[in-house]
Amino acid sequence: QSALTQPASVSGSPGQSITISCTGTSSDVGSYNYVSWYQQHPGKAPKLMIYDVSNRPSGVSNRFSGSKSGNTASLTISGLQAEDEADYYCTSYTTSSTYVFGTGTTVTVV
Amino acid sequence: EVQLVQSGAEVKKPGESLKISCKGSGYSFSVYWIGWVRQMPGKGLEWMGSIYPGDSDTRYSPSFQGQVTISADKSINTAYLQWSSLKASDTAMYYCARLIAVTDPLKGWFDPWGQGALVTVSS
């Protein structure tokens, strides 16, 4: 099971919007809406940001949103803030009854 | 408050065995799958496998099948990840996380996560 493909890095200025893509296959992202996104700051445990493609947990800023089209899921951060600088990972359930994570994306606020 | 608390950092030699733990609190431990995730130094997250503490049903990633053993003791709300013979390449941070699902207990998202357990294997 290959990792889902994410861009290695994405950057944006404060207040801008950025989008992180997460490309899988018809065996994972394309088959289910069980795609979730996690934020990880250096030295910290991952934190859930989006579940089931587009749902935001209580307490997560509404600046974070998710979507999916075909085999590609996306995470959009609007109104970018310095605190959004972190690594982001997507994950999907697969037809093999396993989970696969994305390669990870480092977001930089310039 | 739902919480997963992991055991502390470990330093081991190649060939040694190790069992790390993940204790849940604030929820019914037996009815949620627990997943284990590896993060090697400077690298991304990798799903290793998951266990259902209620009946110890376990699923492994093909990459980790046979390399580690996942177990649980529901009487003390604790899940485990163990190695019988560590290698230097097992050096990593290991996280446990609760799997939350709505329709199918195995299909969902991971929340919350434990604080991580750093395992260092070096001669």
Side-chain angles (χ1 to χ4, degrees):
Chain A
Q1 183 79 52
S2 298
L4 307 176
T5 301
Q6 298 180 229
S9 62
V10 174
S11 62
S13 301
Q16 281 189 330
S17 292
I18 62 169
T19 296
I20 302 168
S21 61
C22 169
T23 300
T25 68
S26 58
S27 296
D28 37 65
V29 176
S31 281
Y32 301 104
N33 286 329
Y34 300 114
V35 176
S36 49
W37 289 88
Y38 303 86
Q39 176 192 65
Q40 186 180 35
H41 285 110
K44 300 294 187 182
K47 174 189 174 185
L48 176 70
M49 304 303 285
I50 294 288
Y51 67 93
D52 288 356
V53 174
S54 60
N55 292 289
R56 203 171 43 249
S58 172
V60 171
S61 171
N62 59 9
R63 297 184 297 103
F64 291 84
S65 61
S67 62
K68 191 187 89 167
S69 177
N71 295 338
T72 298
S74 298
L75 174 71
T76 297
I77 309 174
S78 58
L80 199 61
Q81 298 181 1
E83 68 206 49
D84 300 331
E85 265 203 3
D87 292 329
Y88 292 83
Y89 296 90
C90 59
T91 190
S92 174
Y93 185 73
T94 81
T95 56
S96 300
S97 301
T98 62
Y99 282 86
V100 60
F101 278 93
T103 50
T105 298
T106 298
V107 169
T108 304
V109 181
V110 295
Chain B
E1 179 195 7
V2 175
Q3 209 172 4
L4 295 174
V5 178
Q6 299 185 231
S7 49
E10 302 273 2
V11 179
K12 292 289 190 179
K13 292 183 172 10
E16 291 186 331
S17 62
L18 175 65
K19 192 173 189 177
I20 62 175
S21 65
C22 168
K23 184 174 177 62
S25 62
Y27 73 100
S28 183
F29 185 78
S30 296
V31 301
Y32 289 88
W33 286 79
I34 292 284
W36 285 96
V37 176
R38 182 177 78 173
Q39 187 168 38
M40 299 178 76
K43 301 299 184 182
L45 305 174
E46 301 172 89
W47 179 77
M48 302 175 70
S50 295
I51 188 165
Y52 187 74
D55 61 7
S56 291
D57 185 8
T58 310
R59 310 295 168 87
Y60 289 96
S61 161
S63 300
F64 292 92
Q65 179 86 47
Q67 308 304 308
V68 297
T69 301
I70 295 172
S71 61
D73 184 341
K74 63 183 180 182
S75 69
I76 55 171
N77 293 353
T78 302
Y80 301 97
L81 178 65
Q82 69 180 88
W83 296 259
S84 58
S85 180
L86 286 160
K87 302 185 284 285
S89 57
D90 292 318
T91 295
M93 181 72 82
Y94 293 88
Y95 294 101
C96 62
R98 183 182 68 163
L99 180 62
I100 301 178
V102 176
T103 52
D104 182 323
L106 191 50
K107 301 173 184 173
W109 58 95
F110 296 100
D111 185 55
W113 293 60
Q115 82 276 21
L118 180 62
V119 174
T120 303
V121 184
S122 174
S123 55

